[in-house]
Amino acid sequence: MTNEINKYQVQFNLPLEDNDGLQLDDVHTELQESLASTYGGFTMHYARGVWMNEGKLYNESVAVYTIAMTVSEYFDFKRLALKIGEKARQEAVYMVDPLGKVDIFNI
């Protein structure tokens, strides 16, 4: 964790199951351990993610992680989020950056 004073809220959504319906408990545990050790902690709550893609409605349970970090820490966090998204066998990941901009990164 850095000693910079200004921290900002970042959000990362991760489904509870992969696209084949398999539980992602191990991936969530890895993410939680990394967030706690790197950023000092996080807040997590459950929500529903719903979106349309090519005429199909998707509706899934997600864990929403909220993490406090500096703007400079976001770039390392982004790499972590993409790695976790790959392990979770996702097609894309949804994040909100420190300035409030929504980022959807294809994997």
Side-chain angles (χ1 to χ4, degrees):
M1 222 161 56
T2 69
N3 292 327
E4 293 180 47
I5 296 173
N6 295 322
K7 298 227 179 212
Y8 299 88
Q9 181 171 294
V10 170
Q11 178 182 318
F12 177 56
N13 295 3
L14 184 63
L16 301 182
E17 298 177 346
D18 71 9
N19 294 326
D20 295 323
L22 300 173
Q23 294 291 316
L24 295 172
D25 296 340
D26 291 345
V27 178
H28 282 272
T29 298
E30 179 182 343
L31 174 62
Q32 292 167 6
E33 289 172 355
S34 182
L35 293 177
S37 65
T38 304
Y39 304 103
F42 60 91
T43 300
M44 189 268 294
H45 66 273
Y46 297 106
R48 299 291 303 169
V50 181
W51 70 97
M52 291 287 291
N53 186 21
E54 297 180 4
K56 181 178 177 185
L57 180 67
Y58 292 83
N59 186 334
E60 63 186 4
S61 296
V62 299
V64 178
Y65 291 90
T66 304
I67 312 102
M69 67 184 66
T70 65
V71 172
S72 62
E73 288 173 319
Y74 180 70
F75 299 102
D76 287 331
F77 172 72
K78 186 170 126 177
R79 282 192 286 278
L80 170 65
L82 291 171
K83 180 181 96 171
I84 290 292
E86 280 184 32
K87 286 187 174 190
R89 298 167 299 283
Q90 297 300 295
E91 295 179 16
V93 294
Y94 178 100
M95 301 188 313
V96 180
D97 76 15
L99 303 177
K101 180 178 155 278
V102 171
D103 289 321
I104 300 174
F105 295 103
N106 292 325
I107 303 272

